[in-house]
Amino acid sequence: MSSPDAEQVASRFRHTSVLLEGAVDALVHDTQGVYVDGTFGRGGHSRLILDRLDTHGRLLAMDRDPQAIAAAAEVDDQRFQITQREFAQLGEFAREQGLYGKLSGVLLDVGVSSPQLDDPERGFSFMRDGPLDMRMDPSQGQSAAEFLARASETDIAYVFKTYGEERYAKRLARAVVTRRVEKPFTHTVDLAEVLKVAHPAWEKGRHPATKAFQGLRIFINGELEQLDSALDAALEALAPGGHLVVISFHSLEDRRVKRFIRHHVRGDTDLPRGVPIRDDQLNRRLEALGKGVRPSDEEVDANPRARSAVMRAARKRM
């Protein structure tokens, strides 16, 4: 059972699930099936999935954020269970449940949630001052502050450029290393101000620290590596005919999802030219369920953070 403090925090920062109806429509094809919501968050998708299932259906949820686990305590449904772990461990979880290769569907809503961004104590946002943490599970790994205190200028620049796609990564990393000599970074707004001053080219309507903060968060949580592992695990854990639905929020994620689906739709196409092979020998494991879907204008108006979301869905071949 969660602590009262955790439950209070979970309820204080609300979350509007992105592409709610569309994602669940694409996911649930068997009302008696067993599904996994790999990113429970605040339970918007999970609750709608449960609404779509009959009495024989089941939903297994996962999340590494302890506040999400606290929020899940509000779901009073015998068909539902949740575990605190990262979604890269989806295959292990399915094996424990005796469901490896038997799941009807897997939903992955990738990235950071609104409650994580809105709670200054989590340290995800430069808009609200708080401890420079950024960990989705604060009990695991190093915080952003610890990384910035120890990492070399080269490593910091790599994180800003590779994970944040920040053009001026080297300049910003140099500013961070120069400033930390006199005072280490411990809070979000302090870091944001240093990045703001060091950034030579501000984009209209975007804080100059945006990409560097994104890069730090993705690196600290191993988000891209987690996504790669979760996609592989989901494909193996799905039953033939099972559905995979993934919602991404920036191009780094979506490119990986798109490439993964395309690879398994095409199969083994890297064979030498002229090798005789039948179509059924290409090891095509997925069928794409349409193209990428973006939120409607109405959804973006209601939830501006949804504007960058892309949903992709695929079916495991029989």
Side-chain angles (χ1 to χ4, degrees):
M1 179 65 68
S2 326
S3 70
D5 287 344
E7 290 178 356
Q8 280 185 342
V9 171
S11 63
R12 189 164 74 247
F13 299 100
R14 295 299 181 188
H15 177 60
T16 302
S17 297
V18 175
L19 290 161
L20 178 59
E21 294 281 347
V24 177
D25 286 346
L27 180 73
V28 178
H29 59 98
D30 175 6
T31 60
Q32 298 185 10
V34 183
Y35 295 84
V36 168
D37 181 350
T39 43
F40 179 81
R42 292 302 179 268
H45 289 113
S46 282
R47 288 180 173 85
L48 187 55
I49 292 168
L50 288 168
D51 284 346
R52 300 286 179 86
L53 300 181
D54 69 18
T55 56
H56 299 288
R58 290 176 61 197
L59 175 63
L60 312 178
M62 308 171 64
D63 208 297
R64 54 175 163 171
D65 187 336
Q67 292 181 9
I69 302 302
E74 299 175 2
V75 180
D76 183 16
D77 194 313
Q78 294 297 315
R79 302 169 300 165
F80 173 81
Q81 70 181 88
I82 190 165
T83 182
Q84 184 178 354
R85 66 180 82 188
E86 54 204 28
F87 62 28
Q89 298 173 352
L90 190 154
E92 173 188 315
F93 183 38
R95 279 194 179 93
E96 291 172 3
Q97 302 297 318
L99 293 167
Y100 195 71
K102 301 177 181 179
L103 295 175
S104 301
V106 173
L107 171 66
L108 303 174
D109 185 358
V110 185
V112 66
S113 67
S114 290
Q116 289 168 329
L117 287 170
D118 293 338
D119 183 355
E121 293 303 309
R122 303 302 300 273
F124 285 104
S125 175
F126 48 79
M127 301 301 291
R128 300 169 177 81
D129 196 27
L132 188 58
D133 194 310
M134 295 193 183
R135 290 173 293 177
M136 292 184 181
D137 180 353
S139 70
Q140 301 290 324
Q142 65 178 337
S143 68
E146 290 167 338
F147 170 71
L148 292 179
R150 301 167 185 167
S152 68
E153 181 178 323
T154 300
D155 286 346
I156 295 171
Y158 176 84
V159 167
F160 288 170
K161 181 175 181 58
T162 303
Y163 299 110
E165 300 181 296
E166 172 54 69
R167 179 181 178 186
Y168 299 99
K170 290 183 178 179
R171 185 190 293 245
L172 299 188
R174 190 174 309 120
V176 167
V177 171
T178 300
R179 212 310 292 278
R180 78 181 182 190
V181 173
E182 59 182 80
K183 181 184 176 184
F185 291 96
T186 60
H187 280 70
T188 53
V189 169
D190 182 27
L191 174 61
E193 284 301 310
V194 169
L195 296 173
K196 180 179 176 181
V197 171
H199 206 293
W202 296 10
E203 295 180 44
K204 186 177 180 180
R206 172 177 280 187
H207 194 289
T210 298
K211 293 183 177 180
F213 264 67
Q214 173 189 296
L216 264 179
R217 189 205 83 221
I218 290 174
F219 169 74
I220 290 298
N221 292 289
E223 292 179 36
L224 298 184
E225 296 79 8
Q226 287 274 323
L227 176 58
D228 289 342
S229 296
L231 291 171
D232 288 336
L235 179 57
E236 300 304 327
L238 283 169
H243 289 195
L244 172 65
V245 178
V246 187
I247 302 171
S248 306
F249 284 85
H250 57 72
S251 59
L252 286 174
E253 298 167 343
D254 184 52
R255 281 199 297 268
R256 274 174 150 75
V257 177
K258 185 177 181 180
R259 186 168 62 240
F260 176 85
I261 293 175
R262 184 174 60 216
H263 169 73
H264 288 290
V265 166
R266 292 178 176 176
D268 298 326
T269 56
D270 296 330
L271 296 170
R273 186 183 298 273
V275 172
I277 187 169
R278 298 193 311 272
D279 188 66
D280 62 358
Q281 294 177 307
L282 288 173
N283 194 29
R284 292 173 173 166
R285 304 192 66 193
L286 289 175
E287 301 172 66
L289 298 176
K291 297 182 178 181
V293 176
R294 293 187 176 274
S296 65
D297 291 341
E298 291 77 13
E299 186 169 5
V300 173
D301 287 342
N303 180 13
R305 286 175 179 158
R307 65 184 177 275
S308 62
V310 181
M311 183 190 77
R312 298 189 186 275
R315 178 191 297 113
K316 187 171 179 178
R317 285 180 176 267
M318 303 295 287

